Amino acid sequence: MRVGIGYDIHRIVVAIHPSSLIIGGVPIPSIYKTLAHSDGDVLLHALTDAMLGAFALGDIGQWFPDNKKENKGRSSSEFVVEVKRKLLELGWRVQQVDSVIFLEEPKLSPHSDKVRQSLARLLDCELSDISLKAKTMEGMGEIGRGEAIAAQVVLTLKPA
Ligand code: MG
């Protein structure tokens, strides 16, 4: 078994038009939008880093540089799928994921099963292998003020 950890944070701003935050590949209706080079999916970025970390393969910035044109506006699902393929080449696959989203609003609980399903589908895992928790910062710090969203992921790999 191998273990990986990932963390990501992105700035968010109040959107002028109806908008959504992309979390785990799922658009969540929100008054906020993310400011990012890609689709700003903090959960999938933390997940990608955890997958890379589990095999000491570097980090998401090395694999998918944010100064490269081809990564602009790119769906972060593609990052996960590409790294999943690399891990498979090495003979490993994701076994289990535990994750935390730090976000003041909107409430994630109505969407959490959808997000878990999305991760399970991306990683070829069972739904019961994917855990997602959401925390507010109770108004404290940049996340509490609604200026940022963050995610933490811990996962294990098993031989494919
Ligand atoms: Mg990121």
Side-chain angles (χ1 to χ4, degrees), residues 7-10 36 38 40-42 45-46 60:
Y7 174 81
D8 195 29
I9 183 165
H10 278 267
S38 67
D41 192 327
V42 277
H45 293 180
I60 191 170

Short mmCIF file of all heavy atoms in Angstrom, two decimals, residues 7-10 36 38 40-42 45-46 60, ligand 1:
data_model
loop_
_atom_site.label_atom_id
_atom_site.label_comp_id
_atom_site.label_asym_id
_atom_site.label_seq_id
_atom_site.Cartn_x
_atom_site.Cartn_y
_atom_site.Cartn_z
N TYR A 7 -3.19 19.10 -1.09
CA TYR A 7 -3.89 20.29 -0.58
C TYR A 7 -3.95 21.32 -1.70
O TYR A 7 -3.02 21.43 -2.50
CB TYR A 7 -3.11 20.88 0.61
CG TYR A 7 -3.70 22.20 1.10
CD1 TYR A 7 -4.80 22.20 1.94
CD2 TYR A 7 -3.16 23.42 0.70
CE1 TYR A 7 -5.35 23.40 2.38
CE2 TYR A 7 -3.71 24.62 1.13
CZ TYR A 7 -4.80 24.61 1.98
OH TYR A 7 -5.35 25.79 2.40
N ASP A 8 -5.05 22.07 -1.76
CA ASP A 8 -5.11 23.17 -2.73
C ASP A 8 -6.03 24.26 -2.20
O ASP A 8 -6.95 23.98 -1.42
CB ASP A 8 -5.61 22.68 -4.09
CG ASP A 8 -5.34 23.70 -5.19
OD1 ASP A 8 -4.36 24.45 -5.07
OD2 ASP A 8 -6.11 23.74 -6.17
N ILE A 9 -5.75 25.48 -2.60
CA ILE A 9 -6.60 26.61 -2.23
C ILE A 9 -6.73 27.53 -3.44
O ILE A 9 -5.77 27.66 -4.21
CB ILE A 9 -6.02 27.37 -1.00
CG1 ILE A 9 -6.95 28.50 -0.54
CG2 ILE A 9 -4.61 27.89 -1.28
CD1 ILE A 9 -6.61 29.04 0.84
N HIS A 10 -7.90 28.06 -3.67
CA HIS A 10 -8.11 29.01 -4.76
C HIS A 10 -8.90 30.21 -4.26
O HIS A 10 -9.76 30.08 -3.40
CB HIS A 10 -8.91 28.37 -5.91
CG HIS A 10 -8.07 27.56 -6.82
ND1 HIS A 10 -7.51 28.06 -7.97
CD2 HIS A 10 -7.67 26.28 -6.76
CE1 HIS A 10 -6.81 27.12 -8.56
NE2 HIS A 10 -6.88 26.02 -7.84
N ALA A 36 -8.96 31.16 -11.51
CA ALA A 36 -7.91 30.16 -11.70
C ALA A 36 -7.59 30.02 -13.18
O ALA A 36 -8.38 30.42 -14.03
CB ALA A 36 -8.36 28.81 -11.15
N SER A 38 -7.04 27.01 -14.65
CA SER A 38 -7.85 25.89 -15.14
C SER A 38 -9.29 26.14 -14.71
O SER A 38 -9.69 27.28 -14.53
CB SER A 38 -7.32 24.58 -14.54
OG SER A 38 -7.54 24.58 -13.15
N GLY A 40 -10.36 25.59 -11.86
CA GLY A 40 -10.32 25.98 -10.45
C GLY A 40 -10.91 24.95 -9.50
O GLY A 40 -11.39 25.30 -8.43
N ASP A 41 -10.86 23.69 -9.90
CA ASP A 41 -11.47 22.63 -9.08
C ASP A 41 -10.48 22.22 -7.97
O ASP A 41 -9.64 21.35 -8.16
CB ASP A 41 -11.81 21.44 -9.98
CG ASP A 41 -12.69 20.41 -9.31
OD1 ASP A 41 -12.55 20.22 -8.09
OD2 ASP A 41 -13.51 19.79 -10.01
N VAL A 42 -10.60 22.85 -6.81
CA VAL A 42 -9.63 22.60 -5.72
C VAL A 42 -9.59 21.13 -5.31
O VAL A 42 -8.53 20.61 -4.98
CB VAL A 42 -9.92 23.42 -4.44
CG1 VAL A 42 -9.35 24.81 -4.52
CG2 VAL A 42 -11.37 23.42 -4.06
N HIS A 45 -7.68 19.16 -7.85
CA HIS A 45 -6.25 19.52 -7.80
C HIS A 45 -5.58 18.85 -6.60
O HIS A 45 -4.49 18.31 -6.72
CB HIS A 45 -6.09 21.04 -7.73
CG HIS A 45 -6.51 21.74 -8.98
ND1 HIS A 45 -6.46 23.10 -9.14
CD2 HIS A 45 -7.02 21.24 -10.14
CE1 HIS A 45 -6.90 23.42 -10.34
NE2 HIS A 45 -7.26 22.31 -10.97
N ALA A 46 -6.26 18.87 -5.45
CA ALA A 46 -5.70 18.21 -4.25
C ALA A 46 -5.62 16.70 -4.49
O ALA A 46 -4.66 16.05 -4.09
CB ALA A 46 -6.57 18.53 -3.04
N ILE A 60 1.35 18.71 -9.16
CA ILE A 60 0.47 19.11 -10.26
C ILE A 60 1.07 20.26 -11.08
O ILE A 60 0.88 20.33 -12.29
CB ILE A 60 -0.93 19.46 -9.70
CG1 ILE A 60 -1.97 19.61 -10.81
CG2 ILE A 60 -0.90 20.70 -8.82
CD1 ILE A 60 -3.40 19.71 -10.30
MG MG B 1 -5.28 24.55 -7.96
#
